[in-house]
Amino acid sequence: MAKQLDYHTIREIFTRFHEQEAEPKGELEHVNVYTLVVAVALSAQATDAGVNKATRELFKIADTPQKMLDLGEEQLIEHIKTIGLFRNKAKNVIKLSRILVEDYGGEVPNSRAALESLPGVGRKTANVVLNMWWGMPTQAVDTHIFRVGNRTGICPGKDVNAVERAIEDNIPADFQHHAHHWLILHGRYHCKARKPLCGTCLIRDLCEFEDKNL
């Protein structure tokens, strides 16, 4: 774990991220907030690309909780069977869809507590939805952010909750909204787990990673 970077270094890092891509976007495809919830729930232990491939046709016919219930679990499985843990995920999608219809009038709630009460929706999923759909400065810490945060010193922590707190405590407020997207994209395409591309890294001179390569 790298030492925590100081405020001015972190501000410079996110200034560079912003200059490179001012409005970073999540890569999960969706057509409304409900399909965003489903897509993020399906993405656990799966790639965004794999989820997108499975949901493109699904969301054409089931883009509301009621339509998903009408489709049914077995047909849902047929659409998502290329995704890891698809049977359990299908059960959760049907369960959460039923709760949304029966308890929320078919609408997705915009509170973290309500979202986390849905089957298959944890804190990370709730934070993604709150950030991407409602523009809240929530931080969804995945494996990429955990790695980048600890490797660079931007937001080190022993677990995902500690990293989430470090983001909230140490990243300037004006960068909070897009912080987790910048960090995810940096981890996915540059600060890779096995072979980080340090030689072409935008923040190489500011990073605390001891094993920087050339």
Side-chain angles (χ1 to χ4, degrees):
M1 184 189 300
K3 68 177 183 180
Q4 174 69 57
L5 294 173
D6 64 72
Y7 174 86
H8 296 291
T9 302
I10 292 175
R11 170 163 283 283
E12 175 60 24
I13 285 171
F14 282 90
T15 297
R16 293 183 191 182
F17 284 156
H18 179 269
E19 289 173 349
Q20 184 181 57
E21 187 171 5
E23 296 287 333
K25 305 294 183 184
E27 296 184 325
L28 283 172
E29 297 173 5
H30 57 283
V31 296
N32 54 32
V33 64
Y34 169 70
T35 55
L36 176 59
V37 171
V38 172
V40 180
L42 292 176
S43 72
Q45 295 179 280
T47 66
D48 287 1
V51 172
N52 290 339
K53 186 176 180 180
T55 58
R56 281 188 194 116
E57 294 303 315
L58 172 65
F59 291 159
K60 289 179 182 178
I61 58 174
D63 61 354
T64 69
Q66 186 59 59
K67 289 180 182 177
M68 191 67 76
L69 292 176
D70 293 342
L71 182 68
E73 187 175 324
E74 290 306 313
Q75 286 300 309
L76 172 56
I77 285 174
E78 286 302 307
H79 282 277
I80 67 169
K81 61 185 179 182
T82 56
I83 301 174
L85 307 174
F86 64 89
R87 291 191 183 278
N88 189 54
K89 289 177 180 179
K91 290 182 185 297
N92 283 334
V93 168
I94 294 298
K95 287 179 182 178
L96 73 83
S97 299
R98 183 168 289 111
I99 291 171
L100 291 176
V101 168
E102 294 178 354
D103 296 348
Y104 295 96
E107 300 295 324
V108 175
N110 65 348
S111 81
R112 180 187 281 118
L115 286 168
E116 286 190 47
S117 73
L118 298 173
V121 177
R123 185 177 181 85
K124 186 183 81 169
T125 296
N127 281 347
V128 170
V129 174
L130 293 171
N131 181 281
M132 288 181 63
W133 194 260
W134 283 292
M136 299 183 189
T138 50
Q139 309 302 332
V141 179
D142 69 352
T143 56
H144 295 300
I145 293 181
F146 187 79
R147 179 177 66 256
V148 172
N150 279 291
R151 187 182 269 176
T152 62
I154 294 172
C155 45
K158 293 183 178 180
D159 55 42
V160 294
N161 291 329
V163 171
E164 182 180 333
R165 289 193 299 272
I167 294 174
E168 293 172 344
D169 291 344
N170 297 298
I171 293 176
D174 49 326
F175 292 125
Q176 286 278 334
H177 181 204
H178 292 309
H180 90 273
H181 279 135
W182 279 315
L183 292 170
I184 286 172
L185 293 172
H186 189 65
R188 184 173 290 164
Y189 298 111
H190 300 283
C191 196
K192 299 179 181 182
R194 294 186 180 180
K195 293 184 178 180
L197 306 179
C198 300
T200 58
C201 178
L202 186 69
I203 61 169
R204 187 177 190 277
D205 58 314
L206 305 173
C207 169
E208 288 289 322
F209 185 36
E210 292 181 353
D211 298 323
K212 291 177 189 175
N213 62 60
L214 298 177

